[in-house]
Amino acid sequence: MKKALAIMLTAAMGCGMLSGCSGGGSTGGGAVQQTTQAAQAAGDSGSSSGETSAAPAVDASMYEVTEPITIQWWHSIEDQNAQTVEDVVSAFNSSQDLITVEAVYVGSYGQVNEALVAAHAAGTGLPAVTVANTPYVAEYGAGGLTEDLTPYIQATGFDIDDFGKGLIDASSYEGKQVALPFLISTQVIYYNKDIADELGVTVPEKWDDMESFLEKVSVVNNGTVERYGTVVPGWDQWYFETFYLNKGVNIINDDRISTDLDSDAAVELVYQFKDWCDKGYMYWANGTDASSIMRQNFIDKKTFSVMHTSSLYNNYVDKCDFEVGMAWLPGGETKDQEIGGCVLLIPSKNDQATKNAAWQFLSYLCSKEVNMTWAKETGYIPTRNSVLQTEEGVKFLEEKPAFQCIFDNLDLINPRIQHPGWNQLATIWKNYMAEIMIEDVDIPSKIEDMVEEINEVLEDS
Amino acid sequence: MKGTNSSLERQLAAQRKKKIVTGVQYTLAIIVTLIVIFPLYWMISSSVKSQDEILLLKPTLWPHEIHLENYSNVFNRVNFGKYYYNTIVMTAGILGSQIITGVFAAYGFSKGKFKGQNACFIFVLGALMIPLQVTFIPIFIMCANWGMSDTFLGLILPECISPYYIFMLRQTFMAIDDSYIDAAKVDGLGRIGIITKILTPMCKSTLFTTTLVTFTNGWNSYFWPKIIAKNEQRRVLTVGLAQLKNTFAGQATMNNHEIMAGAVMAILPVVVMFFIFQKYMLTGYSKAAMK
Amino acid sequence: MEQNTFLKPRTISAIKDFICVLPALVFLGIFTYYPICKLIQISFTDWNLLNDTWNYVGLKNWIWLFNGSGTKHLLNSLKVTVLYSIGELTITLLGGLAFALIFGRLNKTFSIMRAIVFMPKYVAMSSAAVVFLWILNTDTGILNYLLNCVGLPSVDWLGNRNTALLSVLMLTGWRAIGYGMMIYLSAMIGISKDYYEAASLDGATAVQSFFKITLPMLSPTTLFLFVTTFISSMKVFQSVDILTSGGPYRATEVFVYTIYKYAMEDFRMDRASVVAIAFFVLLLVVTASTFKISNSSVHYDS
């Protein structure tokens, strides 16, 4: 007894001291760590991305990396693509001598957001480069969290015009280029092509044809659903927000302080969704495990189709023992869609040396070669016009014919709605939608409550 | 004659009744135990199943084959080794600082004499009423501003003093007669000597049990680590485990066998400790019951 | 001699004693009392973590909380937290007592079973939660499988607003019930056998002596369990966070989770602070009233 106590005490004290030391030593985050190795000649630093070349107008020397530096890159690329992350980062590290990049998996986009904002508020522990989900660009731009990349682009002659206009808009705030597009996806419907061929149906292009389509593909026997027509991911409003936009609903009105989600068109949509959910045509996926449940149901053929992000294409194809089809979402008056995925940005509170190194890595990640690596191995979309409109694009489509639907509609992929209160709005909206779809509630009064709450958030942001 | 007969009958009846009661009690107890142990059994048995077996429509109670590679998979794909290290250092840091500050403060409040002693003690007791769940916002901001996000210091500092621990020790020290202290003083022992040579050995069992409770609380803590350690670097086991389902979510299918393997690894040290120190762990809590 | 007129030995000793408690006082000051003041200050600002600057906005957040769109959510959190507390109290007190009666036999077999029933208390909540997450899963969980086996339909345990809180309670109850049992058992062992012998001489049945002797004698224990469980259950966070994230549609959004969400997800430090203060006041009221009950209505034996 006495011995045990003595051991525990000693161990505890020893460890306590240890922890003190290591705690002080590694202040974490994007702190710049100078390595003791001899500095490389400054001139070598520009060769990393293959796109940097001398540029006019801006003094390029201001943005050069002259000292060895270790920087952190925060990302949310999940486990199944860990190998690609490692390959891409180590290729960068070995391509030049000054910058060492550490890739850190932080968690989901939401968790990256939480960590980044917290670090920004503290002014310490910031990463040199981080991913950010597309809707956060406005919040970050408005809060001054991001570095304006325009001078870097000018100084290094980065070929920004090779991105489509939609992508450029999606990563800028009030005309400033505060980020660059990285892993870009859009909403699609994945469907079971084997069943579709058997039934002789195709995913409709028009919203008005949705009802008859769902009726054909779902199997409902005496009230028990054997196969759903489709699944809507209710955990993220991104998946259903295009249906509103294509019906002409302004999710945020031009006055920026109110929403149109109680307009006739919006309410009609809600009733339509509800009707289909009640009939067993549609399943509203909600809850902590909803994403994996939804995917598992598709794999097990318990649903004909699911609405999801194009980035998971390879994933679905690998796991399903039937042919997976991919289709553009049915449109209304328009058939626009929105950019999903993430952009890359440099937090503004980093020091200049870190920012310069960060920019080199960032421009490498956004380069055509790296982008094509992601496009081939996942379902993210090629972002470069020089790919999309050339032979390369044709070759890509030969490998992944399902992406034809995206290539056909590239011009229709629009930036997200940008508002500092967007995140709060989205939470309220998807909560009410899930409640309406899953529970038996008085729909008009719920919509009224929801709109009141959203308006209050918009005014206050 | 008749009387003895009926008393015998009564005795037999009482015995029968006793037997029935015993039987019912055993059956009930066994059923309840099986239900209570089931989640743990399910966790362990699933952790060695193959993914195909996990996905079977008819769950299997006993694994068909043993797949220990689930454990190495989790260890390799997720930074489990790092989580372990972080948890151990954090727990040890909390434990060490709580013991040292606790012992000294308890001495001051029980055997020391100074003006405002009562007021100071009420100050400590009052802190019991203010949980971290209320004050975490300003504390988080302070720690972040001091550059302590994602550091061990940040994980440990807000929990390095426990008013509860001070209170428990003070009560125990109070029970020790002052004559021991006076004798020690005559022998020329200073405060540190009195604490380490007299008080601590005399109260070792309380100290030990309270420390065990502190240890499990530290090891299992979740709320504060989740707030202050946002990225991989200083993530602890509990948070990392809750995170696993997101990390694996991209894999399209249920990876519950690997998540279970992670869960088993996370609880192993505490459960082993539980069996070794079972007796003390209970008294730790029932001592707390007397406060 | 003269040097010591300024600092007498007694004074030096007092200073040394004070130094022993000083670290604790300083730390509690910085990490407990100061934050409360800071919290009150933040509640009068419009501080959003995203912005570098903040302004004082007077009572705006308080109005939002008590007479605005925040009121609805405040009442919801209050309702959910109280329901949860009642649930956990019921499980710990009634369940613990029932378990204590079942497992009250003093032999080797029962002591092993007791250890098993008590063990979940030591299983980290997050480990337990991921297991329950799977057991309760609508499609692949074993609980629904068992229900289907006996002909009952599947239940969407975590996704349905009527069962979500119950599911959280299953998890916390699983961890708490063995603890309640152990506390009751150790108190029962302490009750003198004389009372029962006297009662059985008077012809009292086992049931009668349970209600007339055991229960009253256990009242201090019951009170202890009631107070500690009540206060700790008000602070529940982890099980909710992992199992339901407050959902579905706020049906399990307890107080701490609400504060956490405003602060760490929406970055609305201003709103989080007013809710936190409201929660703090509630905790104080609960603590004070439980102590008041304890002073008036408990049967203390010697």
Coordinates of all heavy atoms in Angstrom, one line a residue, chain B residues 208-280:
Chain B
F208 N -4.8 7.8 -1.2 CA -4.8 6.9 -2.3 C -6.1 6.8 -3.1 O -6.2 6.9 -4.3 CB -4.4 5.5 -1.8 CG -4.2 4.5 -2.9 CD1 -3.2 4.7 -3.8 CD2 -5.0 3.4 -2.9 CE1 -3.0 3.7 -4.8 CE2 -4.8 2.4 -3.9 CZ -3.8 2.6 -4.9
T209 N -7.2 6.6 -2.3 CA -8.5 6.5 -2.9 C -8.9 7.7 -3.6 O -9.4 7.7 -4.8 CB -9.6 6.1 -1.9 OG1 -9.5 7.0 -0.8 CG2 -9.4 4.7 -1.4
T210 N -8.7 8.9 -3.0 CA -9.0 10.1 -3.7 C -8.2 10.3 -4.9 O -8.7 10.8 -6.0 CB -8.8 11.3 -2.7 OG1 -9.0 11.0 -1.4 CG2 -9.6 12.5 -3.1
T211 N -7.0 9.9 -4.9 CA -6.1 10.0 -6.1 C -6.6 9.1 -7.2 O -6.6 9.5 -8.3 CB -4.7 9.6 -5.7 OG1 -4.3 10.4 -4.6 CG2 -3.7 9.8 -6.8
L212 N -7.1 7.9 -6.8 CA -7.7 7.0 -7.8 C -8.8 7.7 -8.6 O -9.0 7.6 -9.8 CB -8.1 5.7 -7.2 CG -7.0 4.6 -6.9 CD1 -7.7 3.4 -6.3 CD2 -6.3 4.3 -8.2
V213 N -9.7 8.3 -7.8 CA -10.8 9.0 -8.4 C -10.4 10.1 -9.3 O -10.8 10.2 -10.4 CB -11.8 9.6 -7.3 CG1 -12.9 10.4 -7.9 CG2 -12.4 8.4 -6.4
T214 N -9.4 10.9 -8.8 CA -8.8 11.9 -9.7 C -8.2 11.4 -10.9 O -8.4 11.9 -12.0 CB -7.7 12.7 -8.9 OG1 -8.2 13.0 -7.6 CG2 -7.3 13.9 -9.6
F215 N -7.5 10.2 -10.8 CA -6.9 9.6 -12.0 C -8.0 9.2 -13.0 O -7.9 9.6 -14.2 CB -6.1 8.4 -11.6 CG -5.6 7.6 -12.7 CD1 -4.5 7.9 -13.4 CD2 -6.4 6.5 -13.2 CE1 -4.0 7.2 -14.5 CE2 -5.9 5.8 -14.3 CZ -4.8 6.1 -14.9
T216 N -9.0 8.5 -12.6 CA -10.0 8.1 -13.6 C -10.7 9.3 -14.2 O -11.0 9.4 -15.4 CB -11.1 7.2 -13.0 OG1 -11.3 7.6 -11.6 CG2 -10.6 5.8 -13.0
N217 N -11.0 10.3 -13.3 CA -11.6 11.5 -13.9 C -10.7 12.2 -14.9 O -11.2 12.6 -16.0 CB -11.9 12.6 -12.8 CG -13.1 12.1 -11.9 OD1 -13.8 11.2 -12.3 ND2 -13.3 12.7 -10.8
G218 N -9.4 12.2 -14.6 CA -8.5 12.9 -15.6 C -8.4 12.1 -16.9 O -8.5 12.6 -18.0
W219 N -8.3 10.8 -16.7 CA -8.2 9.9 -17.9 C -9.4 10.0 -18.8 O -9.3 10.0 -20.0 CB -8.0 8.4 -17.4 CG -7.7 7.5 -18.5 CD1 -8.6 6.8 -19.3 CD2 -6.4 7.1 -19.0 NE1 -7.9 6.1 -20.2 CE2 -6.6 6.2 -20.1 CE3 -5.1 7.5 -18.7 CZ2 -5.5 5.7 -20.8 CZ3 -4.0 6.9 -19.4 CH2 -4.2 6.0 -20.5
N220 N -10.6 10.0 -18.1 CA -11.8 10.0 -18.9 C -12.3 11.4 -19.2 O -13.4 11.6 -19.8 CB -12.9 9.3 -18.1 CG -12.6 7.8 -17.9 OD1 -11.8 7.3 -18.6 ND2 -13.3 7.2 -17.0
S221 N -11.6 12.5 -18.9 CA -12.1 13.8 -19.1 C -12.2 14.1 -20.6 O -11.5 13.6 -21.5 CB -11.2 14.9 -18.5 OG -10.0 15.0 -19.1
Y222 N -13.2 14.9 -21.0 CA -13.6 15.1 -22.4 C -13.9 16.5 -22.7 O -13.5 17.1 -23.7 CB -14.8 14.2 -22.6 CG -15.4 14.3 -24.0 CD1 -14.9 13.5 -25.0 CD2 -16.5 15.2 -24.3 CE1 -15.4 13.6 -26.3 CE2 -17.0 15.2 -25.6 CZ -16.5 14.4 -26.6 OH -17.0 14.5 -27.8
F223 N -14.7 17.2 -21.8 CA -15.2 18.5 -22.1 C -14.1 19.5 -22.4 O -14.0 20.1 -23.5 CB -16.1 19.0 -20.9 CG -16.7 20.3 -21.2 CD1 -17.7 20.4 -22.1 CD2 -16.4 21.4 -20.4 CE1 -18.4 21.7 -22.3 CE2 -17.0 22.6 -20.6 CZ -18.0 22.7 -21.5
W224 N -13.2 19.7 -21.5 CA -12.1 20.7 -21.6 C -11.2 20.3 -22.7 O -10.8 21.1 -23.6 CB -11.4 20.9 -20.3 CG -10.3 21.9 -20.4 CD1 -9.0 21.7 -20.2 CD2 -10.5 23.3 -20.8 NE1 -8.3 22.8 -20.5 CE2 -9.2 23.8 -20.8 CE3 -11.6 24.1 -21.1 CZ2 -9.0 25.2 -21.1 CZ3 -11.3 25.4 -21.4 CH2 -10.0 26.0 -21.4
P225 N -10.7 19.0 -22.8 CA -9.7 18.7 -23.9 C -10.4 19.0 -25.2 O -9.7 19.4 -26.2 CB -9.5 17.2 -23.7 CG -9.7 17.0 -22.2 CD -10.8 17.9 -21.8
K226 N -11.7 18.7 -25.4 CA -12.3 19.0 -26.7 C -12.3 20.4 -27.0 O -12.1 20.8 -28.2 CB -13.8 18.5 -26.6 CG -14.5 18.6 -27.9 CD -15.9 18.1 -27.8 CE -16.7 18.6 -29.0 NZ -17.0 17.6 -30.0
I227 N -12.3 21.3 -26.0 CA -12.4 22.7 -26.3 C -11.0 23.2 -26.6 O -10.7 24.0 -27.5 CB -13.0 23.5 -25.1 CG1 -14.5 23.2 -25.1 CG2 -12.7 25.0 -25.2 CD1 -15.2 23.6 -23.8
I228 N -10.0 22.8 -25.8 CA -8.7 23.5 -25.9 C -7.8 22.8 -26.9 O -6.9 23.5 -27.5 CB -8.0 23.6 -24.5 CG1 -6.8 24.6 -24.5 CG2 -7.5 22.2 -24.0 CD1 -7.3 26.0 -24.6
A229 N -7.9 21.5 -27.1 CA -7.0 20.8 -28.1 C -7.8 20.5 -29.3 O -8.5 19.5 -29.4 CB -6.5 19.5 -27.4
K230 N -7.7 21.4 -30.3 CA -8.6 21.3 -31.5 C -8.0 20.4 -32.5 O -8.7 19.8 -33.3 CB -8.8 22.7 -32.1 CG -9.5 23.6 -31.1 CD -11.0 23.7 -31.6 CE -11.7 24.6 -30.7 NZ -13.0 24.1 -30.4
N231 N -6.7 20.3 -32.6 CA -6.1 19.4 -33.7 C -5.4 18.2 -33.1 O -5.1 18.1 -32.0 CB -5.4 20.2 -34.7 CG -4.1 20.8 -34.2 OD1 -3.4 20.1 -33.5 ND2 -3.7 22.0 -34.6
E232 N -5.1 17.4 -34.0 CA -4.4 16.1 -33.8 C -3.3 16.2 -32.8 O -3.2 15.3 -31.9 CB -3.7 15.8 -35.1 CG -4.0 14.5 -35.9 CD -5.0 13.5 -35.4 OE1 -6.2 13.8 -35.4 OE2 -4.6 12.4 -35.1
Q233 N -2.4 17.2 -32.9 CA -1.2 17.3 -32.0 C -1.4 16.9 -30.6 O -0.6 16.2 -30.0 CB -0.8 18.8 -32.0 CG 0.6 19.0 -31.9 CD 1.2 19.3 -33.3 OE1 0.5 19.7 -34.2 NE2 2.5 19.0 -33.5
R234 N -2.4 17.5 -29.9 CA -2.6 17.2 -28.5 C -4.0 16.6 -28.2 O -4.6 16.8 -27.2 CB -2.5 18.5 -27.7 CG -1.0 19.0 -27.6 CD -0.2 18.2 -26.7 NE 1.2 18.5 -26.8 CZ 2.1 17.8 -27.5 NH1 1.7 16.8 -28.2 NH2 3.3 18.2 -27.6
R235 N -4.5 15.9 -29.1 CA -5.8 15.3 -28.9 C -5.7 14.1 -27.9 O -4.7 13.4 -28.0 CB -6.4 14.8 -30.3 CG -7.8 14.4 -30.2 CD -8.4 14.3 -31.6 NE -8.6 15.6 -32.2 CZ -8.7 15.8 -33.5 NH1 -8.6 14.8 -34.4 NH2 -8.9 17.0 -34.0
V236 N -6.6 14.0 -27.0 CA -6.5 12.9 -26.1 C -7.4 11.7 -26.5 O -8.2 11.9 -27.4 CB -6.9 13.4 -24.6 CG1 -6.0 14.4 -24.1 CG2 -8.3 13.9 -24.6
L237 N -7.3 10.6 -25.8 CA -8.0 9.4 -26.2 C -9.5 9.6 -26.4 O -10.1 9.2 -27.4 CB -7.7 8.3 -25.2 CG -6.5 7.5 -25.4 CD1 -6.3 6.5 -24.2 CD2 -6.6 6.6 -26.7
T238 N -10.1 10.2 -25.3 CA -11.6 10.3 -25.3 C -12.1 11.1 -26.5 O -13.0 10.6 -27.2 CB -12.1 10.9 -24.0 OG1 -11.3 12.1 -23.9 CG2 -12.0 10.1 -22.9
V239 N -11.4 12.2 -26.8 CA -11.8 13.0 -27.9 C -11.5 12.3 -29.3 O -12.3 12.3 -30.2 CB -11.2 14.4 -27.9 CG1 -11.6 15.2 -29.0 CG2 -11.5 15.1 -26.5
G240 N -10.3 11.7 -29.3 CA -9.9 11.0 -30.5 C -10.9 9.9 -30.9 O -11.2 9.7 -32.0
L241 N -11.4 9.2 -29.8 CA -12.3 8.1 -30.1 C -13.6 8.6 -30.6 O -14.1 8.0 -31.6 CB -12.5 7.3 -28.8 CG -13.2 6.0 -28.9 CD1 -12.4 5.1 -29.7 CD2 -13.4 5.5 -27.5
A242 N -14.1 9.6 -30.0 CA -15.4 10.2 -30.5 C -15.2 10.7 -31.9 O -16.2 10.7 -32.7 CB -15.8 11.3 -29.6
Q243 N -14.0 11.0 -32.2 CA -13.7 11.5 -33.6 C -13.6 10.4 -34.6 O -13.8 10.7 -35.8 CB -12.3 12.2 -33.4 CG -11.8 13.0 -34.6 CD -12.7 14.2 -34.7 OE1 -12.9 14.9 -33.7 NE2 -13.1 14.5 -35.9
L244 N -13.3 9.2 -34.1 CA -13.0 8.1 -35.1 C -14.1 7.9 -36.1 O -13.9 7.7 -37.2 CB -12.9 6.8 -34.3 CG -11.5 6.3 -33.9 CD1 -11.6 4.9 -33.4 CD2 -10.6 6.4 -35.1
K245 N -15.4 8.1 -35.6 CA -16.5 7.8 -36.5 C -16.5 8.8 -37.7 O -16.9 8.5 -38.8 CB -17.8 7.8 -35.8 CG -18.2 9.1 -35.1 CD -19.5 8.9 -34.5 CE -20.2 10.2 -34.3 NZ -20.2 10.9 -33.1
N246 N -16.0 10.0 -37.4 CA -15.8 11.0 -38.5 C -14.7 10.6 -39.4 O -14.8 10.7 -40.7 CB -15.6 12.4 -38.0 CG -16.8 12.9 -37.3 OD1 -17.9 12.5 -37.6 ND2 -16.6 13.8 -36.3
T247 N -13.6 10.3 -38.8 CA -12.4 9.9 -39.6 C -12.7 8.8 -40.6 O -12.2 8.8 -41.7 CB -11.2 9.5 -38.7 OG1 -11.2 10.5 -37.6 CG2 -9.9 9.6 -39.4
F248 N -13.4 7.8 -40.0 CA -13.7 6.6 -40.9 C -14.9 6.8 -41.7 O -15.3 6.0 -42.6 CB -13.9 5.4 -40.0 CG -12.6 4.9 -39.4 CD1 -12.6 4.1 -38.3 CD2 -11.4 5.1 -40.1 CE1 -11.4 3.7 -37.8 CE2 -10.2 4.7 -39.6 CZ -10.2 3.9 -38.4
A249 N -15.7 7.9 -41.5 CA -16.9 8.1 -42.2 C -16.8 8.1 -43.7 O -17.6 7.6 -44.4 CB -17.6 9.4 -41.7
G250 N -15.6 8.6 -44.2 CA -15.4 8.6 -45.6 C -15.3 7.2 -46.2 O -15.3 7.1 -47.4
Q251 N -15.2 6.2 -45.4 CA -15.1 4.9 -46.0 C -16.4 4.3 -46.4 O -16.4 3.1 -46.7 CB -14.4 4.0 -45.0 CG -13.0 4.7 -44.6 CD -12.1 3.6 -44.1 OE1 -12.3 3.0 -43.1 NE2 -11.0 3.4 -44.9
A252 N -17.4 5.0 -46.4 CA -18.7 4.6 -46.9 C -19.4 3.5 -46.1 O -20.6 3.5 -46.1 CB -18.5 4.1 -48.4
T253 N -18.7 2.6 -45.5 CA -19.4 1.5 -44.8 C -19.1 1.7 -43.3 O -18.2 2.4 -42.9 CB -18.9 0.2 -45.3 OG1 -17.5 0.2 -45.4 CG2 -19.5 -0.2 -46.6
M254 N -19.8 0.8 -42.6 CA -19.6 0.8 -41.1 C -18.3 0.2 -40.8 O -17.9 -0.9 -41.2 CB -20.7 0.0 -40.5 CG -22.1 0.4 -40.8 SD -22.4 1.9 -39.9 CE -24.0 2.4 -40.5
N255 N -17.5 1.0 -40.1 CA -16.2 0.4 -39.6 C -16.2 0.1 -38.1 O -15.3 0.4 -37.4 CB -15.1 1.5 -39.9 CG -14.7 1.4 -41.3 OD1 -15.4 1.7 -42.1 ND2 -13.4 1.0 -41.5
N256 N -17.4 -0.3 -37.7 CA -17.6 -0.5 -36.3 C -16.6 -1.4 -35.6 O -16.2 -1.2 -34.5 CB -19.0 -0.9 -36.0 CG -19.9 0.3 -36.0 OD1 -19.5 1.3 -35.5 ND2 -21.1 0.1 -36.4
H257 N -16.1 -2.4 -36.4 CA -15.1 -3.3 -35.7 C -13.9 -2.6 -35.3 O -13.3 -2.8 -34.3 CB -14.8 -4.5 -36.7 CG -14.3 -4.1 -38.0 ND1 -14.9 -3.1 -38.8 CD2 -13.2 -4.4 -38.7 CE1 -14.3 -3.0 -39.9 NE2 -13.2 -3.7 -39.9
E258 N -13.4 -1.6 -36.2 CA -12.2 -0.9 -35.8 C -12.5 0.2 -34.8 O -11.7 0.4 -33.9 CB -11.6 -0.2 -37.1 CG -10.9 -1.2 -37.9 CD -10.6 -0.8 -39.3 OE1 -11.1 0.3 -39.7 OE2 -9.8 -1.4 -40.0
I259 N -13.7 0.8 -34.8 CA -14.0 1.7 -33.8 C -14.1 1.0 -32.4 O -13.6 1.5 -31.4 CB -15.4 2.4 -34.1 CG1 -15.3 3.3 -35.3 CG2 -15.9 3.3 -32.9 CD1 -16.5 3.9 -35.8
M260 N -14.6 -0.2 -32.4 CA -14.7 -1.0 -31.1 C -13.2 -1.3 -30.7 O -13.0 -1.2 -29.5 CB -15.5 -2.3 -31.3 CG -16.9 -2.1 -31.6 SD -17.8 -1.1 -30.4 CE -18.5 0.2 -31.4
A261 N -12.4 -1.6 -31.6 CA -11.0 -1.9 -31.2 C -10.4 -0.6 -30.5 O -9.7 -0.7 -29.5 CB -10.2 -2.3 -32.4
G262 N -10.7 0.5 -31.1 CA -10.2 1.8 -30.5 C -10.8 2.0 -29.1 O -10.1 2.3 -28.2
A263 N -12.1 1.7 -29.0 CA -12.8 1.8 -27.7 C -12.1 0.9 -26.6 O -11.9 1.3 -25.5 CB -14.3 1.5 -27.8
V264 N -11.8 -0.3 -27.0 CA -11.2 -1.2 -26.1 C -9.9 -0.7 -25.6 O -9.6 -0.7 -24.4 CB -11.0 -2.6 -26.7 CG1 -10.2 -3.5 -25.8 CG2 -12.4 -3.3 -27.0
M265 N -9.1 -0.2 -26.6 CA -7.8 0.3 -26.2 C -7.9 1.5 -25.3 O -7.0 1.7 -24.4 CB -7.0 0.7 -27.5 CG -6.5 -0.5 -28.3 SD -5.3 0.0 -29.4 CE -6.2 0.6 -30.8
A266 N -8.9 2.3 -25.5 CA -9.0 3.5 -24.7 C -9.4 3.2 -23.2 O -9.0 4.0 -22.3 CB -10.1 4.5 -25.3
I267 N -10.1 2.1 -23.0 CA -10.5 1.9 -21.6 C -9.6 0.9 -20.9 O -9.7 0.8 -19.6 CB -12.0 1.3 -21.5 CG1 -12.1 0.0 -22.3 CG2 -12.9 2.4 -22.0 CD1 -13.4 -0.7 -22.0
L268 N -8.7 0.3 -21.6 CA -8.0 -0.8 -21.0 C -7.2 -0.4 -19.7 O -7.4 -1.1 -18.7 CB -6.9 -1.3 -22.0 CG -6.8 -2.8 -22.0 CD1 -8.1 -3.5 -22.1 CD2 -5.9 -3.2 -23.2
P269 N -6.5 0.7 -19.7 CA -5.7 1.0 -18.5 C -6.6 1.2 -17.3 O -6.3 0.7 -16.2 CB -5.0 2.3 -18.8 CG -5.0 2.4 -20.3 CD -6.2 1.7 -20.8
V270 N -7.7 1.9 -17.4 CA -8.6 2.1 -16.3 C -9.3 0.9 -15.8 O -9.5 0.6 -14.6 CB -9.6 3.2 -16.6 CG1 -10.6 3.5 -15.5 CG2 -8.9 4.5 -17.0
V271 N -9.7 0.0 -16.8 CA -10.4 -1.2 -16.4 C -9.5 -2.1 -15.7 O -9.8 -2.8 -14.6 CB -11.1 -1.9 -17.6 CG1 -11.6 -3.3 -17.2 CG2 -12.2 -1.0 -18.1
V272 N -8.2 -2.2 -16.1 CA -7.2 -3.0 -15.4 C -7.0 -2.5 -14.0 O -7.0 -3.3 -13.1 CB -5.9 -3.0 -16.2 CG1 -4.8 -3.6 -15.4 CG2 -6.0 -3.8 -17.5
M273 N -6.9 -1.2 -13.9 CA -6.7 -0.6 -12.6 C -7.9 -0.9 -11.7 O -7.8 -1.1 -10.5 CB -6.6 0.9 -12.8 CG -5.2 1.4 -12.5 SD -5.1 3.1 -12.3 CE -6.6 3.5 -11.4
F274 N -9.1 -0.9 -12.3 CA -10.3 -1.1 -11.6 C -10.2 -2.5 -10.9 O -10.6 -2.6 -9.7 CB -11.5 -1.0 -12.5 CG -12.8 -1.5 -11.8 CD1 -13.5 -0.7 -10.9 CD2 -13.3 -2.8 -12.1 CE1 -14.6 -1.2 -10.3 CE2 -14.5 -3.2 -11.5 CZ -15.1 -2.4 -10.6
F275 N -9.8 -3.5 -11.7 CA -9.7 -4.8 -11.1 C -8.7 -4.9 -10.0 O -8.8 -5.7 -9.0 CB -9.6 -5.9 -12.2 CG -10.9 -6.2 -12.8 CD1 -11.2 -5.8 -14.1 CD2 -11.9 -6.8 -12.0 CE1 -12.4 -6.1 -14.6 CE2 -13.1 -7.1 -12.6 CZ -13.4 -6.8 -13.9
I276 N -7.5 -4.2 -10.2 CA -6.5 -4.3 -9.2 C -6.9 -3.6 -7.9 O -6.7 -4.1 -6.8 CB -5.2 -3.7 -9.8 CG1 -4.7 -4.5 -11.0 CG2 -4.1 -3.7 -8.7 CD1 -3.5 -3.9 -11.7
F277 N -7.5 -2.4 -8.1 CA -7.7 -1.6 -6.9 C -9.2 -1.5 -6.6 O -9.7 -0.6 -5.9 CB -7.2 -0.2 -7.1 CG -5.8 -0.1 -7.3 CD1 -5.3 0.4 -8.5 CD2 -4.9 -0.5 -6.3 CE1 -3.9 0.5 -8.7 CE2 -3.5 -0.4 -6.5 CZ -3.0 0.1 -7.7
Q278 N -10.0 -2.6 -7.0 CA -11.4 -2.6 -6.8 C -11.9 -2.1 -5.5 O -12.8 -1.2 -5.4 CB -11.9 -4.0 -7.0 CG -13.2 -4.1 -7.7 CD -13.8 -5.5 -7.3 OE1 -14.6 -5.5 -6.4 NE2 -13.3 -6.5 -7.9
K279 N -11.3 -2.6 -4.4 CA -11.7 -2.3 -3.1 C -11.6 -0.8 -2.8 O -12.5 -0.2 -2.3 CB -10.8 -3.1 -2.1 CG -11.4 -3.4 -0.8 CD -10.5 -4.3 0.0 CE -9.3 -3.5 0.6 NZ -8.3 -4.4 1.1
Y280 N -10.4 -0.2 -3.2 CA -10.2 1.2 -2.9 C -11.1 2.1 -3.8 O -11.5 3.2 -3.4 CB -8.7 1.5 -3.2 CG -7.8 0.7 -2.4 CD1 -7.1 -0.3 -2.9 CD2 -7.6 1.0 -1.0 CE1 -6.3 -1.1 -2.1 CE2 -6.7 0.3 -0.3 CZ -6.1 -0.8 -0.8 OH -5.2 -1.5 0.0

